[in-house]
Amino acid sequence: MLTRRFLIAAAAAVMFPTAPIPLVQAQEQQATLPVVATFSILGDIVGNVGGDRVAVKSLVGPNGDAHVYSPSPADAKTLADAKVIVTNGLGFEGWLARLIKSSNTKAPNIVAAKGVKPRKLAGKHSHGHAHGHADGDPHAWQSVANVKIYVANIRDGLIKADPAGKAAYEANAAAYLAKLDALESEVKQAVSNIPPERRKIITTHDAFGYFKDAYGVDFIAPQGVSTDSEASARDVARIITQVRKQKIPAVFMENISDARLLTRIASETGARVGGTLYSDALTAENGPPPTSIDHLRPNLGTLCAALQR
């Protein structure tokens, strides 16, 4: 009887073997790494490098202004649950130190802009008043070359936090860097089609300094590098005079800023409103730039359409 039962069991094992979990299924079952990025552009870069191995949350979401952001208790909980935090650095997130303290998080912080050469602001903003960030201009992502530094820092930080994902992070980063190479060529070609004397525009705040240095378009702003203070009447009057004197062709709104100030400047100078530029935040998924690479393309199209006329 025992032998018969053994033979039946053996036959069943051959006919209905216990199948191993397929590799793809095993990967799907692997828990993703919870990562918190401070704002939407950074969160998108993290998502591209991390791929399926990470679950990314951005504290400051689409069309949000990180300069004036006020964290909530829910943000502290989000930070406490994170295994990795990714920040811009360069003094961009002035509210972050308090949030980290209140959350008691022990998660490592990947500073995306580490290694970027900061664009210094000689003590005062060029219009004669001090603004914002003691570490200089934090908007380093406006240069494609700097975004490549972001990608490398994020890749290396994710590998340190999740060594098992090394191959995936390296492959994702390499693919993303190739896209950035193509974008760099696209930006330079587009700017070269704008007559040099027309490469001067007005924007709300000084968020495009790295773009200016890299590609040769002069951005003039009534506000400094931060939106947390209002432009003075003297600054606005000076810019109105400058627009008239230099015949600056267009003013541009920003998706994170109040348009009334630039509407006034356009009205008083006769400059055209050239459209909306995306400076510190992406839009929602159905908006023009839902990704970090895409946020430069609408800017290019808007600039070229307004300045080539």
Side-chain angles (χ1 to χ4, degrees), residues 276-297:
T276 298
L277 299 179
Y278 301 91
S279 55
D280 294 14
L282 303 177
T283 60
E285 289 185 5
N286 59 347
T291 71
S292 53
I293 282 184
D294 289 338
H295 103 276
L296 278 179
R297 288 199 171 101

Side-chain angles (χ1 to χ4, degrees), residues 6-87:
F6 175 79
L7 291 174
I8 292 172
V14 171
M15 295 175 62
F16 307 105
T18 302
I21 299 175
L23 179 59
V24 172
Q25 184 179 345
Q27 290 174 339
E28 289 175 350
Q29 290 177 354
Q30 176 182 328
T32 54
L33 187 71
V35 180
V36 171
T38 48
F39 65 111
S40 59
I41 292 175
L42 198 56
D44 183 72
I45 298 172
V46 175
N48 275 278
V49 177
D52 294 337
R53 295 190 69 90
V54 301
V56 186
K57 291 184 179 180
S58 297
L59 295 177
V60 184
N63 294 313
D65 185 354
H67 292 291
V68 296
Y69 185 68
S70 180
S72 68
D75 291 329
K77 175 66 166 59
T78 297
L79 221 57
D81 293 339
K83 296 298 183 184
V84 176
I85 302 168
V86 184
T87 63

Side-chain angles (χ1 to χ4, degrees), residues 86-134:
V86 184
T87 63
N88 185 73
L90 299 177
F92 185 60
E93 302 98 340
W95 38 267
L96 184 64
R98 298 187 302 274
L99 180 60
I100 288 177
K101 184 177 181 180
S102 66
S103 71
N104 292 316
T105 182
K106 298 299 187 290
N109 178 13
I110 301 171
V111 181
K114 181 181 178 182
V116 166
K117 183 179 179 180
R119 174 178 171 258
K120 292 298 183 182
L121 309 169
K124 290 187 175 182
H125 185 259
S126 58
H127 299 305
H129 54 280
H131 275 294
H133 301 282

Side-chain angles (χ1 to χ4, degrees), residues 14 18 26 73 96 102 105 116 125 128 139 151 153 164 186 203 233 237-238 242 249-250 263 268 286 303 307:
V14 171
T18 302
L96 184 64
S102 66
T105 182
V116 166
H125 185 259
H139 305 86
V151 171
N153 286 329
E186 187 179 333
T203 55
R238 185 180 294 113
Q242 186 175 2
T263 301
E268 294 195 23
N286 59 347
L303 289 172
L307 300 182

Side-chain angles (χ1 to χ4, degrees), residues 201-284:
I201 64 173
I202 306 294
T203 55
T204 307
H205 84 294
D206 192 6
F208 297 94
Y210 291 95
F211 189 101
K212 170 185 174 180
D213 293 345
Y215 310 114
V217 178
D218 193 8
F219 291 81
I220 302 159
Q223 290 178 292
V225 295
S226 176
T227 59
D228 62 0
S229 59
E230 295 183 1
S232 70
R234 178 181 295 180
D235 295 324
V236 174
R238 185 180 294 113
I239 285 179
I240 288 173
T241 299
Q242 186 175 2
V243 171
R244 289 171 175 163
K245 184 177 181 179
Q246 298 183 10
K247 297 181 180 179
I248 295 173
V251 301
F252 293 83
M253 312 304 178
E254 293 178 41
N255 65 318
I256 66 165
S257 300
D258 191 326
R260 287 175 293 181
L261 176 58
L262 289 193
T263 301
R264 174 191 162 194
I265 291 173
S267 176
E268 294 195 23
T269 62
R272 287 182 296 104
V273 175
T276 298
L277 299 179
Y278 301 91
S279 55
D280 294 14
L282 303 177
T283 60

